[in-house]
Amino acid sequence: DDFHALNAELERYDSQLCQRSQVVVANKIDILEEGHRLTALQTFCQKHQLPFLSISAITGQGVPELVQMMTQLVFPPDV
């Protein structure tokens, strides 16, 4: 599938990239016509314990949550 192909490409480019945290983001949900594809992606992410967000860059839906998640990944809170 596309996810595994993308990770294989990252591995070939730089194996260190595959060791980093990943977030799966579905964009353009404002024009989504096939809801089953989004559901399948959510299920895949749950099965593989991957963080998942759906956003619309044009409407801003989900973008604040994405910014917050990325901020926490890049700048984890002090323990």
Side-chain angles (χ1 to χ4, degrees):
D1 72 328
D2 293 338
F3 182 81
H4 295 296
L6 179 59
N7 276 309
E9 187 173 328
L10 286 173
E11 177 75 28
R12 285 189 301 273
Y13 177 74
D14 182 349
S15 61
Q16 294 294 320
L17 290 176
C18 292
Q19 304 304 316
R20 294 184 181 183
S21 299
Q22 294 184 334
V23 176
V24 177
V25 181
N27 189 21
K28 299 186 179 186
I29 60 167
D30 54 300
I31 60 170
L32 184 65
E33 294 180 9
E34 299 179 23
H36 69 279
R37 293 182 69 197
L38 183 62
T39 302
L41 184 56
Q42 288 172 316
T43 301
F44 174 86
C45 290
Q46 288 173 346
K47 179 179 176 183
H48 296 282
Q49 299 179 335
L50 294 165
F52 173 80
L53 292 170
S54 55
I55 70 166
S56 168
I58 198 130
T59 68
Q61 181 182 351
V63 173
E65 292 85 354
L66 174 60
V67 170
Q68 181 181 14
M69 182 179 286
M70 299 309 299
T71 300
Q72 291 172 350
L73 284 171
V74 175
F75 306 106
D78 292 335
V79 178

